[in-house]
mmCIF file of all heavy atoms in Angstrom:
data_model
loop_
_atom_site.group_PDB
_atom_site.id
_atom_site.type_symbol
_atom_site.label_atom_id
_atom_site.label_comp_id
_atom_site.label_asym_id
_atom_site.label_seq_id
_atom_site.Cartn_x
_atom_site.Cartn_y
_atom_site.Cartn_z
ATOM 1 N N THR A 130 16.821 -39.902 0.567
ATOM 2 C CA THR A 130 17.902 -40.696 0.200
ATOM 3 C C THR A 130 18.557 -40.549 -1.124
ATOM 4 O O THR A 130 19.710 -41.196 -1.251
ATOM 5 C CB THR A 130 17.370 -42.186 0.090
ATOM 6 O OG1 THR A 130 16.466 -42.367 -0.891
ATOM 7 C CG2 THR A 130 16.679 -42.559 1.446
ATOM 8 N N VAL A 131 18.145 -39.851 -1.880
ATOM 9 C CA VAL A 131 18.675 -39.463 -3.236
ATOM 10 C C VAL A 131 19.079 -38.035 -3.403
ATOM 11 O O VAL A 131 20.262 -37.609 -3.427
ATOM 12 C CB VAL A 131 17.899 -40.001 -4.440
ATOM 13 C CG1 VAL A 131 18.685 -39.704 -5.724
ATOM 14 C CG2 VAL A 131 17.592 -41.414 -4.368
ATOM 15 N N TYR A 132 18.021 -37.154 -3.408
ATOM 16 C CA TYR A 132 18.319 -35.756 -3.699
ATOM 17 C C TYR A 132 19.293 -35.120 -2.779
ATOM 18 O O TYR A 132 20.090 -34.356 -3.171
ATOM 19 C CB TYR A 132 17.000 -35.067 -3.778
ATOM 20 C CG TYR A 132 17.183 -33.607 -4.269
ATOM 21 C CD1 TYR A 132 17.337 -33.203 -5.507
ATOM 22 C CD2 TYR A 132 17.074 -32.564 -3.102
ATOM 23 C CE1 TYR A 132 17.492 -31.827 -5.838
ATOM 24 C CE2 TYR A 132 17.274 -31.238 -3.522
ATOM 25 C CZ TYR A 132 17.354 -30.826 -4.847
ATOM 26 O OH TYR A 132 17.515 -29.556 -5.271
ATOM 27 N N ILE A 133 19.059 -35.324 -1.396
ATOM 28 C CA ILE A 133 19.855 -34.591 -0.496
ATOM 29 C C ILE A 133 21.293 -35.016 -0.581
ATOM 30 O O ILE A 133 22.157 -34.150 -0.294
ATOM 31 C CB ILE A 133 19.306 -34.857 0.969
ATOM 32 C CG1 ILE A 133 19.816 -33.900 1.967
ATOM 33 C CG2 ILE A 133 19.714 -36.328 1.408
ATOM 34 C CD1 ILE A 133 19.159 -33.910 3.243
ATOM 35 N N HIS A 134 21.656 -36.117 -1.082
ATOM 36 C CA HIS A 134 23.056 -36.572 -1.202
ATOM 37 C C HIS A 134 23.633 -35.868 -2.545
ATOM 38 O O HIS A 134 24.800 -35.904 -2.719
ATOM 39 C CB HIS A 134 23.231 -38.099 -1.229
ATOM 40 C CG HIS A 134 22.780 -38.628 0.011
ATOM 41 N ND1 HIS A 134 23.546 -38.410 1.251
ATOM 42 C CD2 HIS A 134 21.704 -39.374 0.497
ATOM 43 C CE1 HIS A 134 22.978 -39.173 2.190
ATOM 44 N NE2 HIS A 134 21.873 -39.578 1.764
ATOM 45 N N LEU A 135 22.744 -35.557 -3.472
ATOM 46 C CA LEU A 135 23.220 -35.035 -4.689
ATOM 47 C C LEU A 135 23.541 -33.494 -4.539
ATOM 48 O O LEU A 135 24.295 -32.924 -5.280
ATOM 49 C CB LEU A 135 22.273 -35.287 -5.808
ATOM 50 C CG LEU A 135 22.000 -36.697 -6.285
ATOM 51 C CD1 LEU A 135 20.890 -36.732 -7.353
ATOM 52 C CD2 LEU A 135 23.231 -37.382 -6.728
ATOM 53 N N ILE A 136 22.778 -32.849 -3.687
ATOM 54 C CA ILE A 136 22.810 -31.397 -3.490
ATOM 55 C C ILE A 136 23.692 -30.969 -2.177
ATOM 56 O O ILE A 136 24.160 -29.764 -2.174
ATOM 57 C CB ILE A 136 21.408 -30.739 -3.353
ATOM 58 C CG1 ILE A 136 21.364 -29.324 -3.631
ATOM 59 C CG2 ILE A 136 20.756 -31.086 -2.040
ATOM 60 C CD1 ILE A 136 21.560 -29.036 -5.109
ATOM 61 N N ALA A 137 23.934 -31.775 -1.460
ATOM 62 C CA ALA A 137 24.591 -31.516 -0.067
ATOM 63 C C ALA A 137 23.718 -30.971 1.015
ATOM 64 O O ALA A 137 23.014 -30.078 0.793
ATOM 65 C CB ALA A 137 25.768 -30.612 -0.323
ATOM 66 N N PRO A 138 23.615 -31.783 2.172
ATOM 67 C CA PRO A 138 22.524 -31.545 3.173
ATOM 68 C C PRO A 138 22.634 -30.137 3.741
ATOM 69 O O PRO A 138 21.736 -29.471 4.103
ATOM 70 C CB PRO A 138 22.848 -32.549 4.269
ATOM 71 C CG PRO A 138 23.557 -33.594 3.557
ATOM 72 C CD PRO A 138 24.277 -32.987 2.301
ATOM 73 N N LYS A 139 23.850 -29.615 3.928
ATOM 74 C CA LYS A 139 24.151 -28.288 4.601
ATOM 75 C C LYS A 139 24.106 -27.137 3.752
ATOM 76 O O LYS A 139 24.193 -25.987 4.127
ATOM 77 C CB LYS A 139 25.464 -28.299 5.281
ATOM 78 C CG LYS A 139 25.615 -29.335 6.403
ATOM 79 C CD LYS A 139 24.494 -29.174 7.569
ATOM 80 C CE LYS A 139 24.833 -30.255 8.595
ATOM 81 N NZ LYS A 139 23.754 -30.227 9.718
ATOM 82 N N SER A 140 23.856 -27.331 2.330
ATOM 83 C CA SER A 140 23.852 -26.267 1.401
ATOM 84 C C SER A 140 22.480 -25.527 1.666
ATOM 85 O O SER A 140 21.544 -26.045 2.043
ATOM 86 C CB SER A 140 24.089 -26.755 -0.004
ATOM 87 O OG SER A 140 23.056 -27.579 -0.346
ATOM 88 N N LYS A 141 22.475 -24.171 1.181
ATOM 89 C CA LYS A 141 21.326 -23.400 1.526
ATOM 90 C C LYS A 141 20.288 -23.500 0.143
ATOM 91 O O LYS A 141 20.745 -23.362 -0.971
ATOM 92 C CB LYS A 141 21.817 -21.802 1.553
ATOM 93 C CG LYS A 141 22.776 -21.654 2.708
ATOM 94 C CD LYS A 141 22.175 -21.976 4.030
ATOM 95 C CE LYS A 141 23.047 -21.612 5.123
ATOM 96 N NZ LYS A 141 24.371 -22.366 5.348
ATOM 97 N N VAL A 142 19.012 -23.621 0.546
ATOM 98 C CA VAL A 142 18.045 -23.724 -0.521
ATOM 99 C C VAL A 142 18.084 -22.401 -1.256
ATOM 100 O O VAL A 142 17.828 -22.515 -2.525
ATOM 101 C CB VAL A 142 16.694 -24.010 0.153
ATOM 102 C CG1 VAL A 142 15.577 -24.148 -1.000
ATOM 103 C CG2 VAL A 142 16.754 -25.338 0.908
ATOM 104 N N GLN A 143 18.147 -21.322 -0.633
ATOM 105 C CA GLN A 143 18.032 -19.981 -1.359
ATOM 106 C C GLN A 143 19.188 -19.835 -2.412
ATOM 107 O O GLN A 143 18.930 -19.011 -3.181
ATOM 108 C CB GLN A 143 17.989 -18.856 -0.331
ATOM 109 C CG GLN A 143 16.895 -18.711 0.504
ATOM 110 C CD GLN A 143 17.085 -19.451 1.849
ATOM 111 O OE1 GLN A 143 17.763 -20.437 1.971
ATOM 112 N NE2 GLN A 143 16.460 -18.827 2.926
ATOM 113 N N ASP A 144 20.259 -20.422 -2.207
ATOM 114 C CA ASP A 144 21.321 -20.394 -3.130
ATOM 115 C C ASP A 144 21.268 -21.145 -4.389
ATOM 116 O O ASP A 144 22.212 -20.995 -5.340
ATOM 117 C CB ASP A 144 22.712 -20.595 -2.392
ATOM 118 C CG ASP A 144 23.060 -19.665 -1.198
ATOM 119 O OD1 ASP A 144 22.474 -18.582 -1.296
ATOM 120 O OD2 ASP A 144 23.837 -20.123 -0.467
ATOM 121 N N THR A 145 20.453 -22.029 -4.443
ATOM 122 C CA THR A 145 20.224 -22.999 -5.599
ATOM 123 C C THR A 145 19.858 -22.190 -6.890
ATOM 124 O O THR A 145 18.868 -21.427 -6.820
ATOM 125 C CB THR A 145 19.166 -24.115 -5.315
ATOM 126 O OG1 THR A 145 19.568 -24.690 -3.995
ATOM 127 C CG2 THR A 145 19.101 -25.093 -6.393
ATOM 128 N N THR A 146 20.612 -22.533 -7.906
ATOM 129 C CA THR A 146 20.113 -21.823 -9.117
ATOM 130 C C THR A 146 19.665 -23.013 -10.266
ATOM 131 O O THR A 146 19.799 -24.099 -9.944
ATOM 132 C CB THR A 146 21.438 -21.193 -9.750
ATOM 133 O OG1 THR A 146 22.406 -22.190 -10.062
ATOM 134 C CG2 THR A 146 22.050 -20.224 -8.850
ATOM 135 N N LEU A 147 19.148 -22.452 -11.466
ATOM 136 C CA LEU A 147 18.806 -23.506 -12.393
ATOM 137 C C LEU A 147 19.946 -24.280 -12.840
ATOM 138 O O LEU A 147 19.845 -25.427 -13.157
ATOM 139 C CB LEU A 147 18.237 -22.558 -13.604
ATOM 140 C CG LEU A 147 17.773 -23.509 -14.838
ATOM 141 C CD1 LEU A 147 16.736 -24.458 -14.487
ATOM 142 C CD2 LEU A 147 17.354 -22.519 -15.880
ATOM 143 N N LYS A 148 21.227 -23.663 -12.897
ATOM 144 C CA LYS A 148 22.457 -24.340 -13.338
ATOM 145 C C LYS A 148 22.599 -25.514 -12.408
ATOM 146 O O LYS A 148 23.058 -26.648 -12.774
ATOM 147 C CB LYS A 148 23.608 -23.370 -13.308
ATOM 148 C CG LYS A 148 24.910 -24.016 -13.865
ATOM 149 C CD LYS A 148 25.910 -22.985 -13.887
ATOM 150 C CE LYS A 148 27.228 -23.630 -14.426
ATOM 151 N NZ LYS A 148 28.304 -22.620 -14.528
ATOM 152 N N ASP A 149 22.461 -25.304 -11.113
ATOM 153 C CA ASP A 149 22.635 -26.386 -10.099
ATOM 154 C C ASP A 149 21.577 -27.512 -10.296
ATOM 155 O O ASP A 149 22.023 -28.754 -10.282
ATOM 156 C CB ASP A 149 22.427 -25.818 -8.610
ATOM 157 C CG ASP A 149 23.462 -24.841 -8.224
ATOM 158 O OD1 ASP A 149 24.538 -25.023 -8.553
ATOM 159 O OD2 ASP A 149 23.088 -23.928 -7.383
ATOM 160 N N LEU A 150 20.389 -27.222 -10.560
ATOM 161 C CA LEU A 150 19.438 -28.287 -10.861
ATOM 162 C C LEU A 150 19.632 -28.974 -12.207
ATOM 163 O O LEU A 150 19.311 -30.167 -12.259
ATOM 164 C CB LEU A 150 17.976 -27.585 -10.847
ATOM 165 C CG LEU A 150 17.595 -27.086 -9.408
ATOM 166 C CD1 LEU A 150 16.171 -26.566 -9.510
ATOM 167 C CD2 LEU A 150 17.718 -28.055 -8.409
ATOM 168 N N ILE A 151 20.042 -28.399 -13.126
ATOM 169 C CA ILE A 151 20.472 -29.043 -14.415
ATOM 170 C C ILE A 151 21.515 -30.050 -14.169
ATOM 171 O O ILE A 151 21.651 -31.142 -14.573
ATOM 172 C CB ILE A 151 20.814 -28.105 -15.473
ATOM 173 C CG1 ILE A 151 19.681 -27.089 -15.928
ATOM 174 C CG2 ILE A 151 21.439 -28.759 -16.650
ATOM 175 C CD1 ILE A 151 19.995 -26.063 -16.901
ATOM 176 N N LYS A 152 22.467 -29.565 -13.218
ATOM 177 C CA LYS A 152 23.519 -30.503 -12.888
ATOM 178 C C LYS A 152 23.116 -31.844 -12.151
ATOM 179 O O LYS A 152 23.362 -32.902 -12.436
ATOM 180 C CB LYS A 152 24.615 -29.768 -12.010
ATOM 181 C CG LYS A 152 25.738 -30.701 -11.638
ATOM 182 C CD LYS A 152 26.716 -29.957 -10.810
ATOM 183 C CE LYS A 152 27.901 -30.808 -10.274
ATOM 184 N NZ LYS A 152 28.775 -30.053 -9.392
ATOM 185 N N ILE A 153 22.031 -31.462 -11.211
ATOM 186 C CA ILE A 153 21.511 -32.597 -10.508
ATOM 187 C C ILE A 153 20.671 -33.520 -11.465
ATOM 188 O O ILE A 153 20.759 -34.748 -11.368
ATOM 189 C CB ILE A 153 20.406 -32.022 -9.420
ATOM 190 C CG1 ILE A 153 21.225 -31.165 -8.378
ATOM 191 C CG2 ILE A 153 19.597 -33.165 -8.793
ATOM 192 C CD1 ILE A 153 22.168 -31.947 -7.542
ATOM 193 N N LYS A 154 19.953 -32.896 -12.477
ATOM 194 C CA LYS A 154 19.204 -33.790 -13.420
ATOM 195 C C LYS A 154 20.155 -34.576 -14.258
ATOM 196 O O LYS A 154 19.914 -35.853 -14.351
ATOM 197 C CB LYS A 154 18.510 -32.984 -14.336
ATOM 198 C CG LYS A 154 17.608 -33.614 -15.398
ATOM 199 C CD LYS A 154 17.020 -32.670 -16.399
ATOM 200 C CE LYS A 154 18.056 -32.200 -17.443
ATOM 201 N NZ LYS A 154 17.559 -31.470 -18.633
ATOM 202 N N ASN A 155 21.317 -34.100 -14.566
ATOM 203 C CA ASN A 155 22.255 -34.988 -15.319
ATOM 204 C C ASN A 155 22.906 -36.041 -14.358
ATOM 205 O O ASN A 155 23.116 -37.198 -14.949
ATOM 206 C CB ASN A 155 23.450 -33.987 -15.835
ATOM 207 C CG ASN A 155 22.906 -33.127 -16.867
ATOM 208 O OD1 ASN A 155 22.002 -33.409 -17.600
ATOM 209 N ND2 ASN A 155 23.726 -32.001 -17.073
ATOM 210 N N LEU A 156 23.071 -35.705 -13.152
ATOM 211 C CA LEU A 156 23.559 -36.754 -12.187
ATOM 212 C C LEU A 156 22.562 -38.015 -12.020
ATOM 213 O O LEU A 156 22.865 -39.052 -12.104
ATOM 214 C CB LEU A 156 23.822 -36.236 -10.876
ATOM 215 C CG LEU A 156 25.137 -35.425 -10.712
ATOM 216 C CD1 LEU A 156 25.138 -34.587 -9.369
ATOM 217 C CD2 LEU A 156 26.429 -36.126 -10.961
ATOM 218 N N ILE A 157 21.207 -37.578 -11.947
ATOM 219 C CA ILE A 157 20.133 -38.549 -11.770
ATOM 220 C C ILE A 157 20.127 -39.377 -13.039
ATOM 221 O O ILE A 157 19.875 -40.537 -12.979
ATOM 222 C CB ILE A 157 18.775 -37.874 -11.583
ATOM 223 C CG1 ILE A 157 18.792 -37.218 -10.188
ATOM 224 C CG2 ILE A 157 17.617 -38.868 -11.662
ATOM 225 C CD1 ILE A 157 17.618 -36.318 -9.834
#
Side-chain angles (χ1 to χ4, degrees):
T130 64
V131 179
Y132 182 76
I133 198 166
H134 296 290
L135 297 174
I136 199 73
K139 299 297 182 182
S140 60
K141 304 296 190 292
V142 178
Q143 292 98 322
D144 293 340
T145 307
T146 65
L147 177 58
K148 186 177 179 180
D149 294 327
L150 292 184
I151 291 173
K152 181 181 177 182
I153 295 297
K154 182 187 75 172
N155 292 336
L156 289 173
I157 292 173

